Amino acid sequence: EYYNNPYYKNVRPKAKKKGNWTLKYQKYNPYELFVCNDLTIDGYKEYPNIGYFKEEFDYLCVLENNHEWMLITPNEIETMKLPISKAFGDVITFGLGLGYFAYMVSLKENVNSVTIIEKDQNVINLFKSEILPFFEYKHKIKIINADAFDVMKEGINNYDYCFIDIWHDASDGVPFY
């Protein structure tokens, strides 16, 4: 299933470094266990959904200062299926990463445009030069270099669907909590 994912099949950039960001491929070894979907919750118990491949599986990732920031792994693909299926019209998304969400919704006939808000210009530069050329519907993509919180304060009433993916992990939200 993952080998046939449109992003996985069609977006195959070469490794590259721009500023403190690195675009590269990492891999799962045969039978290496990994989390492959959101947690299953049963009452007060949480269970990770674990998967593996029978053969080596490479996946695209971007690192900031050698720290994983965004990965196109089965977990990423699975957890974005629902928001991708619901997107329509003029879409806004906060956080660029590797452009997985933007790519997948741009393929949809009922999506007119995808506006991406990203605050790091180095990520935007890396994306524009190495990943965007692989997009079939790049005319639908607009990238704005801005902070998501500032854009939200201004309002997003001109959009039909909004997807927010600006957190790396749970620790990012601690100051807001």
Side-chain angles (χ1 to χ4, degrees), residues 31-126:
Y31 301 100
E32 177 182 349
L33 298 177
F34 57 85
V35 176
C36 65
N37 206 335
D38 276 339
L39 296 170
T40 298
I41 299 172
D42 180 16
Y44 292 103
K45 295 179 183 176
E46 296 179 346
Y47 301 97
N49 292 294
I50 304 297
Y52 65 89
F53 290 101
K54 292 181 181 179
E55 56 197 40
E56 188 174 276
F57 182 84
D58 70 326
Y59 57 89
L60 188 60
C61 67
V62 67
L63 297 90
E64 180 185 27
N65 297 320
N66 293 319
H67 181 71
E68 287 180 351
W69 193 253
M70 176 68 177
L71 315 166
I72 306 300
T73 61
N75 187 49
E76 191 72 22
I77 291 167
E78 291 297 328
T79 58
M80 286 197 191
K81 279 184 178 177
L82 183 59
I84 289 167
S85 73
K86 290 184 173 189
F88 69 97
D90 294 313
V91 176
I92 187 168
T93 180
F94 296 93
L96 174 58
L98 291 163
Y100 180 78
F101 177 82
Y103 179 84
M104 295 301 288
V105 298
S106 74
L107 297 176
K108 296 178 67 175
E109 286 184 26
N110 67 341
V111 170
N112 305 320
S113 67
V114 183
T115 300
I116 304 164
I117 308 300
E118 173 57 53
K119 71 177 182 178
D120 191 308
Q121 188 62 50
N122 286 321
V123 170
I124 294 170
N125 294 343
L126 185 65

